[in-house]
């Protein structure tokens, strides 16, 4: 989706050149680094090195509920969004932390050209949501035990445990494995709990079709540069839907 | 601003070709018709005819408070916005009425490519605002006399009267003249009260600089394809600011 608008307009400035790992071009490139990665949740580094080209780091999933916080991030251009941070995808609010002032000014100019500005309603709502979450840590209410990222991590830990149990019991598919790392946010070793399950069907079949037989809709790995023996499944649906999902993949018939 | 994003990306699909009245090209064009026009408030028709090319009608100011409603509009592609209709520019919500299904689908696709979707917060707020205004006419509250477009027209009529008096008294600038027309919304003959005053300085001087000497900031006509002896001034600022504006241009020193 990243370069969608440039390709859509047949931009004379740049175009989508495909997967960075197979890139064969000169030094005039922009590498988009999605870390933690969608769909597999893995921490990623730039694969084309840092001596040439430019890099944009999409850090949408770099949030304590999903991934251990490895300390301050220090890339040239870093993208964030409330969508994955708090679940408010519909507000369409993101932000960037950018080192170079000229690049930042061009990004502001782009927003002005594109839509004259971003919804004030959304900006106000997003600011309010972030304030509530931040206040929950800076000024904890002694009567409340709800801290947003703790809540999110607890929920995801429970879901990932249930999913891993179901996957192990079935023996027909597998999940990525992650090593615990020290998290600078929780100040302890923490597991990785991606927002998506990146599932591999072990018998090499069409995994999307296989899940469909269990009445589970998934997104085939072929949309993500992988084989059709992979599917992506959201871990962020409502509790009742997640319960049904686990029940269906655990069914023995 | 219209073609800004295409020029910004150096689009291979289309580019801004300038003022339609001076267009010298083949039949493969899109004419943007802004009616009522910004900045002068005049009703406009396509100038390149309708036998060739395509037309997009920007009808942002086609609202009863500004302009007599001449009955149902029937153009191929018509653009509207809450910005000018209700003053909620910051919600960034507009809509289009489109005859051709394929064109409409391409517009939806563009929104998806551009931002994956439009702020739900803004959509909900805009829908609520439009409902309140619509309900004010469909289900009038006997205890309330506030009907939105009546209120807006009344306010603009008062402002335009005060502006025309001040302009006449000064003798140094002039305003466009409009003939009353039958308005299908108010069911009576109605004046035109544009959201902008398009002011001509009669002595041919730099009008923006001249207004600056009166401590009035305006936007020079040269940004709108006219001479610097014109300026555009908003008629939609807050009451207190409008009062100061009239006072400053009426000052005799």
């Amino acid at each position: 989706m990243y370069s969608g608008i440039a390709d859509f307009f047949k931009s004379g400035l740049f175009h989508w050149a495909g997967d960075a790992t197979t890139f064969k071009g000169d030094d005039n490139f922009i590498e988009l680094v999605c870390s933690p990665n969608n769909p597999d949740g893995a921490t990623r580094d730039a694969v084309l090195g840092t001596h040439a080209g430019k890099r944009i780091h999409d850090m949408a999933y770099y949030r304590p509920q999903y991934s251990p916080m490895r300390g301050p991030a220090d890339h040239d251009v870093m993208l964030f969004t409330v969508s994955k941070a708090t679940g408010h995808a519909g507000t369409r609010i993101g932000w960037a932390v950018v080192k170079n002032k000229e690049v930042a000014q061009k990004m502001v100019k782009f927003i002005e050209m594109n839509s004259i500005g971003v919804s004030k309603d959304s900006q106000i709502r997003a600011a309010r949501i972030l304030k509530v979450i931040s206040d929950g840590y800076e000024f904890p209410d002694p009567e409340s035990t709800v801290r947003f990222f703790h809540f999110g991590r607890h929920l995801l830990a429970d879901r990932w445990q249930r999913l891993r149990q179901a996957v192990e019991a079935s023996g027909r598919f597998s999940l990525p494995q992650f090593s615990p790392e020290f998290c600078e946010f929780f100040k302890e070793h923490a597991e990785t709990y991606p927002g998506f399950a990146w599932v591999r069907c072990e018998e090499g079949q069409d995994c999307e079709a296989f899940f469909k037989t269990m009445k589970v809709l998934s997104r085939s790995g072929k949309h993500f540069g992988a084989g059709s023996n992979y599917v992506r499944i959201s871990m962020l649906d409502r509790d009742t839907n997640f319960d049904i999902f686990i029940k269906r993949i655990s069914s023995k018939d």
Side-chain angles (χ1 to χ4, degrees), chain A:
Chain A
M1 185 62 75
Y2 271 120
S3 69
I5 201 74
D7 281 357
F8 193 79
F9 275 125
K10 302 195 186 304
S11 171
L13 295 174
F14 51 92
H15 67 277
W16 179 243
D19 195 322
T21 55
T22 61
F23 179 70
K24 302 254 183 285
D26 60 18
D27 286 351
N28 188 20
F29 62 81
I30 301 170
E31 182 179 350
L32 297 158
V33 184
C34 189
S35 180
N37 190 41
N38 171 3
D40 67 6
T43 301
R44 289 276 188 105
D45 290 312
V47 299
L48 295 175
T50 54
H51 60 290
K54 293 185 171 65
R55 279 144 295 281
I56 296 172
H57 280 74
D58 177 345
M59 306 189 77
Y61 288 100
Y62 191 56
R63 292 288 157 196
Q65 67 268 50
Y66 305 117
S67 196
M69 297 286 97
R70 292 162 193 87
D74 187 39
H75 306 294
D76 288 347
V77 179
M78 300 189 286
L79 307 183
F80 301 92
T81 165
V82 289
S83 169
K84 310 309 185 297
T86 73
H88 294 84
T91 62
R92 314 305 311 133
I93 293 284
W95 62 96
V97 178
V98 178
K99 283 184 184 172
N100 185 296
K101 194 176 167 183
E102 261 180 69
V103 173
Q105 281 167 340
K106 280 187 185 174
M107 292 170 80
V108 170
K109 181 72 182 168
F110 170 75
I111 292 169
E112 191 192 316
M113 297 303 288
N114 195 33
S115 58
I116 318 187
V118 175
S119 163
K120 298 288 177 195
D121 307 72
S122 284
Q123 289 187 58
I124 290 166
R125 184 148 185 249
R128 175 74 186 156
I129 290 161
L130 295 177
K131 185 181 183 333
V132 167
I133 293 171
S134 176
D135 284 355
Y137 286 98
E138 286 198 50
F139 314 104
D141 178 351
E143 311 227 335
S144 164
T145 56
V146 176
R147 289 170 298 176
F148 184 81
F149 294 115
H150 285 70
F151 167 80
R153 173 151 281 263
H154 185 78
L155 188 81
L156 279 165
D158 177 68
R159 288 187 174 188
W160 272 95
Q161 190 188 9
R162 290 166 64 196
L163 177 63
R164 287 195 185 277
Q165 279 171 356
V167 165
E168 203 170 317
S170 92
R172 293 177 297 182
F173 17 87
S174 65
L175 290 165
Q177 298 294 329
F178 304 96
S179 303
E181 286 183 63
F182 190 78
C183 174
E184 294 289 348
F185 184 83
F186 292 115
K187 297 293 179 197
E188 60 185 27
H189 274 74
E191 300 283 342
T192 293
Y193 301 123
F196 290 109
W198 182 235
V199 182
R200 186 181 132 108
C201 281
E202 291 301 320
E203 287 145 39
Q205 70 272 55
D206 180 330
C207 203
E208 184 180 8
F210 180 65
F211 271 91
K212 207 166 181 183
T213 65
M214 295 181 282
K215 296 208 286 180
V216 172
L217 296 178
S218 62
R219 193 154 167 79
S220 172
K222 63 191 180 191
H223 300 298
F224 306 99
S228 62
N229 57 325
Y230 281 90
V231 290
R232 189 188 79 172
I233 297 172
S234 174
M235 293 296 283
L236 305 176
D237 209 330
R238 285 161 200 270
D239 281 340
T240 48
N241 291 346
F242 189 80
D243 293 347
I244 293 167
F245 162 56
I246 293 295
K247 199 172 161 186
R248 287 186 181 168
I249 65 168
S250 305
S251 171
K252 289 292 171 203
D253 55 10

